Amino acid sequence: MASLISKKKANKLYYYVVESARVDGQPRIVNQIYLGTAAKVAALVKDRTAPIPLEATVRHLGLPGALWVAAERSGVWGVLTSLWGERRSGPSTAHYLLLAAIHRVCQPGPKTEVADWYAKTILSTLWGFRPERFTSQAFWDAFDQIQTGAEAAAAADELEDAQRRLLALWKNKGLVSRRVLAYDTTNFYTYIASTNTRTRLAQRGRNKQGRHNLRQIGVSYLLDGEHGVCLCHHVYPGNVNDATELPAALVRITRLLDQTEIPRETVTVVFDKGTAALDNTLSLEEARLGWISALPWNQAPADLRRRSVEELPRCGSDQPGVHATAQRALVHGKEYLCVLKYSASFAAEQLHSLTTSLSTAFQRLRRLARDLAKPGCRLTQPQVRRRIAGWLSPAFLSDIVRWEWHADAPHARLHVDVDQRALQELMTHRLGRTLLLTNRLDWTAAQVIDAYTGQQQVEQVFRGLKDGDWVGWGPMQHWTDSKIHIHAFYCLLAVSLLKYLQREAQTAWPGLSVEQLLEELGDVHQVVLLYPPQGDKGPCRTATVVSKRTLTQQLLTDVLGLNTLRITPGG
């Protein structure tokens, strides 16, 4: 029979499980198992009697929690509450705006889905509001309290005031340090009905996603060229082109710079060639702003365009495969600095695109030639010309493909070939090259190129908005101008929070992209375990743990402040 005994060694008691039996008529210990001290025995008993959880609840922790901490740490939450203060009970307008921004990052969708998603996130625990407070109607009522520039009777534009305060905030945080600001425009198609007369913004125009049959809205966007945070934006009617929008946006930009005490002379605005009209460069000069723009190829000096790659100096080691040179040139009747940049990677991308387009075009042209050779073909020369013009519309194809129509034979003949001399000229003096123009005459070619890379950040933002990889702009379930303005505000606020998170995460993972950040944080969850009560009566017990994390996720959790959310292992 087994029994528990203790033995005292060095004034400490140690416990054993022993089995006794008679040996030669005398009681003796025949088997002995060491247990340890009393504390170890208690731990063994506790482990053997640990209850099985009744149920487990999984909440999204990583991404919504990190965005909430970023809003607090960066001061964004303070800006929102200063404009739309907290209520005595229930969520404030600031809560609705920030929740809409976080939802657009984590799970883009209509407002009817926000309440269910919110209940499954750490935000429901942190804020303490019931999910029923975040219905679609509640969002509509909260956004109705915001005064926007779309309302003629509005005394002030609260969204513009918010942009001004956020710009001052980013400036104080050192996120506008280089004074290089990237500017670009785009448009987003909508499903607003043609019979809807309540919106001035949704108009038909040339849609950059090819949805010309739908009404669209335009958005211009200014961000910091280094850190990528949104400094200001402007929503405008969809039938306004890019070059026409810049003067209106320029008024807002200069006003915000003056209000936040950022000297205009220290700011350099970067934009693409679609905005580089003569009137716009004159407006930038009058505004006392520096600027860098992509220049159309045919407007640059011929001697600069004809330079071979061997004549172009290499840039620094941080830009491998890039060559550049700068010279002053007379453009738009004034002397500016013109920069020619050659990028080997860009040339490879263009060559790949060209060969793919050329292969597709030749397949179509061969089919057309066979159709024309068939008896009874009714295609006319104008019809053929229109077809071929469409097939040769991709970049550079019309420069290198030569075709001839012969209608004097019994059947019409189509001859197609590649102009080898034009192809060689294209590969030698055009592919991989970009022309830049600036009024910063004292800058080097490397400085101009480095500043122009900020334009790529704007394009990444717009791709992230349209594809939903960063922030899901669509579906935009709004049909009034005021709600469209608000939708644009919280979408671009979400972009700023993401870029702020990316900057903070660089200490844990240098070179981390936004896509990688979203993937890593999306896999971090909080698990709430429900245990039965200890006795016959009383409430059930809960324990809160974090899901198993990789080393990268552990580092991000520490750096981004998720540990400050008071997630304890037991409760």
Side-chain angles (χ1 to χ4, degrees), residues 359-376:
S359 175
T360 303
F362 262 81
Q363 290 177 7
R364 292 171 174 173
L365 288 168
R366 282 196 296 268
R367 286 197 297 267
L368 177 62
R370 288 196 297 267
D371 293 340
L372 291 173
K374 293 179 181 178

Side-chain angles (χ1 to χ4, degrees), residues 61 253 311 420 439 449:
L61 168 63
I253 292 171
E311 299 178 42
Q420 296 297 327
N439 62 346
I449 292 172

Side-chain angles (χ1 to χ4, degrees), residues 349-363:
E349 292 174 4
Q350 286 186 310
L351 182 59
H352 175 72
S353 177
L354 176 63
T355 54
T356 303
S357 301
L358 186 62
S359 175
T360 303
F362 262 81
Q363 290 177 7

Side-chain angles (χ1 to χ4, degrees), residues 70-376:
E72 287 192 308
R73 284 185 171 183
S74 64
V76 168
W77 179 242
V79 170
L80 296 180
T81 54
S82 66
L83 285 166
W84 302 285
E86 300 188 26
R87 299 175 182 174
R88 292 184 178 180
S89 63
S92 65
T93 302
H95 283 102
Y96 285 100
L97 279 172
L98 185 59
L99 184 61
I102 296 176
H103 181 248
R104 284 287 157 179
V105 176
C106 301
Q107 188 176 315
K111 299 297 185 293
T112 53
E113 300 175 358
V114 174
D116 291 338
W117 167 81
Y118 165 80
K120 300 174 184 177
T121 68
I122 189 65
L123 299 177
S124 60
T125 302
L126 297 174
W127 290 0
F129 300 126
R130 296 177 62 84
E132 293 78 12
R133 304 302 296 267
F134 295 104
T135 62
S136 177
Q137 185 62 50
F139 274 96
W140 181 277
D141 295 338
F143 292 165
D144 257 350
Q145 307 301 316
I146 302 175
Q147 296 181 352
T148 67
E151 301 164 355
D157 188 344
E158 293 181 338
L159 293 182
E160 184 172 353
D161 190 17
Q163 291 188 61
R164 178 184 60 79
R165 298 191 187 194
L166 287 172
L167 176 56
L169 172 68
W170 301 132
K171 174 192 171 186
N172 295 333
K173 291 286 183 179
L175 298 179
V176 201
S177 55
R178 286 184 58 197
R179 299 291 195 267
V180 175
L181 310 181
Y183 170 87
D184 202 357
T185 60
T186 191
N187 47 48
F188 297 93
Y189 64 83
T190 72
Y191 294 107
I192 297 176
S194 301
T195 56
N196 187 331
T197 59
R198 297 183 62 183
T199 173
R200 177 187 59 87
L201 296 174
Q203 303 292 337
R204 280 188 170 79
R206 190 179 186 281
N207 185 260
K208 296 182 180 181
Q209 294 173 278
R211 302 301 299 270
H212 310 303
N213 59 320
L214 297 175
R215 298 172 75 177
Q216 64 181 17
I217 63 169
V219 177
S220 61
Y221 182 76
L222 184 75
L223 56 72
D224 177 80
E226 180 178 2
H227 303 292
V229 296
C230 176
L231 305 181
C232 70
H233 69 273
H234 181 224
V235 183
Y236 58 91
N239 56 357
V240 176
N241 60 41
D242 296 350
T244 307
E245 161 59 15
L246 181 60
L250 195 59
V251 173
R252 298 169 59 87
I253 292 171
T254 54
R255 182 168 64 244
L256 287 171
L257 292 176
D258 294 340
Q259 291 173 346
T260 51
E261 299 180 352
I262 297 178
R264 298 188 188 184
E265 294 78 7
T266 65
V267 172
T268 301
V269 180
V270 181
F271 51 92
D272 63 6
K273 58 187 176 184
T275 316
L278 173 60
D279 293 341
N280 289 339
T281 57
L282 294 176
S283 299
L284 287 163
E285 296 285 350
E286 293 174 359
R288 308 194 312 278
L289 294 173
W291 53 270
I292 300 173
S293 168
L295 184 67
W297 184 255
N298 58 359
Q299 295 184 16
D303 61 325
L304 184 62
R305 287 180 292 168
R306 297 288 303 174
R307 291 194 185 183
S308 64
V309 177
E310 291 74 16
E311 299 178 42
L312 305 179
R314 287 190 178 92
C315 292
S317 58
D318 56 333
Q319 299 186 41
V322 176
H323 300 246
T325 187
Q327 72 177 42
R328 298 192 178 190
L330 192 66
V331 180
H332 295 165
K334 190 174 180 179
E335 187 180 50
Y336 294 110
L337 186 68
C338 192
V339 176
L340 174 63
K341 170 189 173 184
Y342 172 82
S343 170
S345 60
F346 184 41
E349 292 174 4
Q350 286 186 310
L351 182 59
H352 175 72
S353 177
L354 176 63
T355 54
T356 303
S357 301
L358 186 62
S359 175
T360 303
F362 262 81
Q363 290 177 7
R364 292 171 174 173
L365 288 168
R366 282 196 296 268
R367 286 197 297 267
L368 177 62
R370 288 196 297 267
D371 293 340
L372 291 173
K374 293 179 181 178

Side-chain angles (χ1 to χ4, degrees), residues 394-442:
F396 310 125
L397 279 189
S398 59
D399 298 331
I400 63 174
V401 176
R402 299 289 180 262
W403 63 276
E404 295 179 357
W405 168 279
H406 297 280
D408 51 352
H411 303 291
R413 299 290 182 182
L414 182 67
H415 295 282
V416 184
D417 202 357
V418 174
D419 188 334
Q420 296 297 327
R421 181 176 298 179
L423 179 60
Q424 185 63 34
E425 175 72 15
L426 182 69
M427 298 182 65
T428 305
H429 296 108
R430 184 66 183 89
L431 294 186
R433 298 178 178 232
T434 305
L435 286 168
L436 304 176
L437 192 70
T438 179
N439 62 346
R440 299 297 191 188
L441 299 178
D442 56 336

Side-chain angles (χ1 to χ4, degrees), residues 429-472:
H429 296 108
R430 184 66 183 89
L431 294 186
R433 298 178 178 232
T434 305
L435 286 168
L436 304 176
L437 192 70
T438 179
N439 62 346
R440 299 297 191 188
L441 299 178
D442 56 336
W443 283 22
T444 64
Q447 287 177 310
V448 175
I449 292 172
D450 187 45
Y452 188 74
T453 55
Q455 184 68 20
Q456 299 176 1
Q457 291 207 45
V458 185
E459 296 172 356
Q460 289 177 354
V461 168
F462 285 148
R463 283 197 300 269
L465 287 169
K466 292 183 176 181
D467 299 338
D469 297 335
W470 290 13
V471 178

